[in-house]
Amino acid sequence: MLRNKTKSEISWKEKSSMNTEKIRKEFPILRRKINGRRLVYLDNTATTQKPASVIEAITEYYEHHNANVHRGIYTLSQEASEKYEEAHEETARFIGAQNGEEIVFTRNATESLNLLAFTLGKELKKGDHVLVTLLEHHSNLVPWQQLKEKGIHLDIARVTPEGLLNERDFEEKLSLKPKLVSFTAASNALGTRLPQKKMIKAARDSGATTIVDGAQAVPHEPVNVQKLGMDFMAFSGHKMLGPTGIGVLYGKKERLESLPPFLTGGDMIDTVTEEKSTWNALPWKFEAGTPNVAGGIGLAAAIKYLNGVGMEAVAEHEQKLLQYATNQLQEIPGIRRYGPSPEHKLGIISFNVNGIHAHDVASVLDQNGVQVRSGNHCAQPLLNALGIKASVRASFYLYNDRPDVDALVDGIRSAQKLFKVTP
Amino acid sequence: MNELYSELVLDLYRNPPNRGKLQPHNVRASGGNPSCGDAVTFTLWMENGIVKDIKFENEGCAISTAMQALLTEHVKGKPVAEIQRITEQNALEWLGGSITPTRQKCATFALKILQKELRAVEQRNK
């Protein structure tokens, strides 16, 4: 962490912004054309592109070290195991966890949250409360809804009309003494950042176990779990330059130790008799079966890449781009933007163009090489509360630059021209 | 010339024929495409297994609106058996056949909703 901080401090002071041109060259996919145009990838909330170093790390693993982990005493298995274990350590350092014992590799943030709903859910009793917010992705809502069958009450803290968390409502629902409080660090649909530290403290003070869905935060800003103090956090590798199929569950060691296992079978056991079994040490107790070794190694390479740039620099770059994009979009008549002002958001802009459906805007943008998401962004209750069925969403990452924003603006204008809705 | 948004699609989107609620009606078919929030309601007047008149109300993109308007034009005056024979491919061809794969569901979901309701009506009348 220290090394990482120094680097980003240098970039902050000396350059004040990242070398986006250099970064863009390190992502092979950005060389390709879409419909004859420069690829402008603005769906980073959904998934991110991969730098050559990540692709090479995965290839290198399969070409030189591939073996099953924790099983063989031979050279290859030892190498694969070491790399896979080191990936846990790298991830732990990245988010400020104590060590790799607190890092469970899953498929994605969704699986991490389901693991928690299943295991923590076992401890809940009829009449207990669970508190989430209306800003959740379906993955931090639906798993908790399943507990209603057990007689669990699911409370949902409301949002303000501009799409911020209604903090008073959150506090009121905390007074119902929920056993679990699970919330997203930032909304994937609007970009709204939640006051994590304050919420975690308030929830802990009221006696709740705290869970943060970090899927949108961890890739885009510095996160330190020990400073924030949550009990658990979930995030996905593919949203932070890593491969698909690898996700993370962070848990405080003592909390992970006290949880029952989720999936059972190979590697997660210590001893097995015909009648019963005992569990392996952390984090392997939660990683049943042959794990995604290449995925873990790819994630570690992605983290190394992000550390090289510095997470403060990433956050600063995206905030600047968001400010620029917000200003540019304000120049276009007939745009409705959703969510709060840039200083309360990550680099996400959610909007609609008057007179054109979100899907049609996205199709015309695609014809211009601009890749954006349109729809409900896996957050149907939030969009319903805002009174919209669908929106267009553009989301930024470290390789996006001002020409990308300009292409978005040009694309919106050509959609307005095509649909003859220019005022 | 825009491949996806032909003049036909754009004209139908801006001025869709048969839009509204048919009063009176004796059949109502309603549904949506939850993945994108599109929704449609058809109101029909049926006599002796023939669609005498039909209108539609909707919320949706240009592709789905254009298709729903075309669908009402195509089924008006037709017997149910003939309407049931319309395939998704037929419908895509009405639009000129240049609908990209990611947008085909926008174009075809309304046809399925209408055919399903007409099947249910037939079952009830048996």
Side-chain angles (χ1 to χ4, degrees):
Chain A
M1 282 310 281
L2 201 68
R3 184 180 57 95
N4 158 22
K5 208 172 191 175
T6 318
K7 272 199 176 173
S8 60
E9 272 171 11
I10 291 165
S11 72
W12 184 290
K13 281 174 192 155
E14 293 183 356
K15 290 185 286 185
S16 88
S17 70
M18 305 179 328
N19 188 346
T20 315
E21 214 177 309
K22 178 174 172 279
I23 287 173
R24 291 182 64 82
K25 289 196 178 110
E26 290 161 349
F27 288 76
I29 203 170
L30 296 181
R31 291 198 281 271
R32 92 158 266 203
K33 301 258 188 245
I34 300 282
N35 296 318
R37 308 288 190 95
R38 172 182 190 258
L39 164 61
V40 175
Y41 185 77
L42 296 178
D43 196 15
N44 294 289
T45 309
T47 197
T48 57
Q49 301 305 339
K50 320 304 173 196
S53 63
V54 168
I55 300 165
E56 282 158 15
I58 296 165
T59 308
E60 204 261 348
Y61 165 71
Y62 278 127
E63 285 183 352
H64 299 284
H65 311 286
N66 179 51
N68 211 323
V69 292
H70 303 152
R71 284 155 175 83
I73 52 161
Y74 52 89
T75 305
L76 280 185
S77 178
Q78 191 191 323
E79 285 173 7
S81 302
E82 276 169 14
K83 280 178 168 286
Y84 186 63
E85 286 171 21
E86 175 49 30
H88 287 71
E89 298 298 333
E90 186 79 48
T91 307
R93 287 191 291 274
F94 185 65
I95 59 165
Q98 292 189 65
N99 56 50
E101 287 179 313
E102 296 187 323
I103 302 296
V104 176
F105 282 166
T106 58
R107 272 192 307 147
N108 44 39
T110 297
E111 186 175 293
S112 301
L113 291 163
N114 273 274
L115 186 160
L116 292 174
F118 180 85
T119 55
L120 288 167
K122 278 189 175 175
E123 295 169 359
L124 298 182
K125 293 179 196 72
K126 193 177 175 202
D128 283 346
H129 285 254
V130 172
L131 174 58
V132 299
T133 80
L134 198 55
L135 290 154
E136 306 312 318
H137 186 282
H138 293 158
S139 62
N140 196 28
L141 175 67
V142 182
W144 306 113
Q145 283 176 341
Q146 305 317 302
L147 298 176
K148 284 185 173 181
E149 286 171 17
K150 279 183 69 172
I152 307 296
H153 301 285
L154 180 61
D155 306 316
I156 303 177
R158 313 314 293 178
V159 292
T160 66
E162 62 265 49
L164 289 165
L165 175 71
N166 181 333
E167 292 187 42
R168 182 177 292 178
D169 191 55
F170 179 76
E171 280 160 27
E172 272 170 25
K173 279 164 181 158
L174 260 189
S175 69
L176 297 169
K177 297 281 167 201
K179 289 280 192 295
L180 304 175
V181 176
S182 187
F183 63 88
T184 186
S187 155
N188 72 302
L190 302 177
T192 310
R193 300 171 72 201
L194 283 78
Q196 270 190 89
K197 199 162 186 179
K198 206 159 116 186
M199 292 169 77
I200 291 166
K201 186 174 183 308
R204 289 177 65 85
D205 287 350
S206 79
T209 292
T210 51
I211 301 162
V212 172
D213 172 2
Q216 296 305 334
V218 174
H220 300 284
E221 61 183 19
V223 171
N224 186 303
V225 291
Q226 289 192 69
K227 281 187 190 151
L228 288 164
M230 70 283 269
D231 294 299
F232 300 99
M233 181 172 74
F235 58 103
S236 288
H238 71 96
K239 292 187 197 288
M240 50 189 286
L241 311 182
T244 50
I246 191 82
V248 179
L249 169 66
Y250 157 78
K252 280 184 178 161
K253 190 181 174 188
E254 64 273 20
R255 297 306 310 263
L256 286 175
E257 269 170 349
S258 68
L259 282 186
F262 176 41
L263 301 175
T264 56
D267 205 29
M268 56 75 63
I269 40 75
D270 184 19
T271 54
V272 180
T273 65
E274 286 186 34
E275 291 77 28
K276 62 181 171 64
S277 306
T278 59
W279 315 132
N280 198 346
L282 291 176
W284 322 120
K285 171 180 148 187
F286 293 103
E287 294 190 12
T290 299
N292 184 356
V293 182
I297 289 166
L299 173 60
I303 288 172
K304 283 193 185 101
Y305 186 91
L306 288 170
N307 280 335
V309 177
M311 289 310 292
E312 288 94 345
V314 171
E316 189 203 358
H317 172 76
E318 289 174 26
Q319 186 58 221
K320 277 185 181 168
L321 209 52
L322 177 65
Q323 289 279 0
Y324 177 69
T326 307
N327 293 339
Q328 294 302 103
L329 254 64
Q330 261 162 2
E331 300 289 310
I332 311 175
I335 300 257
R336 279 165 295 146
R337 278 185 292 112
Y338 309 106
S341 50
E343 65 273 20
H344 298 292
K345 286 199 303 183
L346 292 177
I348 294 172
I349 292 194
S350 195
F351 65 95
N352 270 314
V353 182
N354 287 342
I356 318 178
H357 191 278
H359 277 3
D360 295 320
V361 175
S363 276
V364 178
L365 286 172
D366 178 47
Q367 292 174 343
N368 286 272
V370 182
Q371 314 289 290
V372 295
R373 173 81 189 265
S374 58
N376 60 44
H377 319 300
C378 301
Q380 287 178 30
L382 175 61
L383 265 69
N384 283 341
L386 295 172
I388 51 173
K389 291 267 167 55
S391 79
V392 186
R393 184 188 67 189
S395 51
F396 307 116
Y397 211 6
L398 72 174
Y399 40 68
N400 291 121
D401 55 12
R402 285 189 174 208
D404 287 347
V405 174
D406 297 340
L408 172 69
V409 168
D410 289 348
I412 294 169
R413 287 192 191 277
S414 57
Q416 287 180 319
K417 210 172 140 193
L418 181 69
F419 280 79
K420 298 197 172 80
V421 294
T422 325
Chain B
M1 183 64 210
N2 195 300
E3 267 187 31
L4 183 58
Y5 296 105
S6 60
E7 280 306 314
L8 173 70
V9 170
L10 290 169
D11 282 349
L12 287 165
Y13 178 55
R14 285 192 210 103
N15 302 300
N18 308 319
R19 195 185 225 168
K21 189 182 209 170
L22 187 69
Q23 292 288 24
H25 59 266
N26 55 9
V27 174
R28 185 175 173 278
S30 188
N33 182 3
S35 67
C36 65
D38 282 5
V40 64
T41 301
F42 294 101
T43 38
L44 297 77
W45 187 258
M46 304 269 306
E47 268 178 40
N48 306 320
I50 288 170
V51 176
K52 287 288 187 187
D53 202 359
I54 178 168
K55 283 185 181 238
F56 77 102
E57 294 167 287
N58 82 326
E59 188 164 349
C61 61
I63 309 288
S64 67
T65 304
M67 174 58 86
Q68 286 150 23
L70 279 177
L71 188 58
T72 56
E73 295 278 274
H74 274 268
V75 304
K76 209 184 279 185
K78 299 258 167 67
V80 170
E82 197 173 323
I83 296 167
Q84 295 295 12
R85 281 199 296 272
I86 301 171
T87 64
E88 289 185 16
Q89 201 49 46
N90 296 146
L92 290 171
E93 279 160 18
W94 299 340
L95 284 176
S98 59
I99 306 298
T100 48
T102 53
R103 300 300 302 275
Q104 287 185 0
K105 203 174 172 190
C106 304
T108 54
F109 79 94
L111 172 66
K112 288 183 196 157
I113 288 166
L114 184 63
Q115 287 175 331
K116 189 178 171 196
E117 186 58 36
L118 291 178
R119 264 198 305 278
V121 170
E122 269 191 321
Q123 288 298 318
R124 279 199 294 274
N125 292 343
K126 261 180 191 172

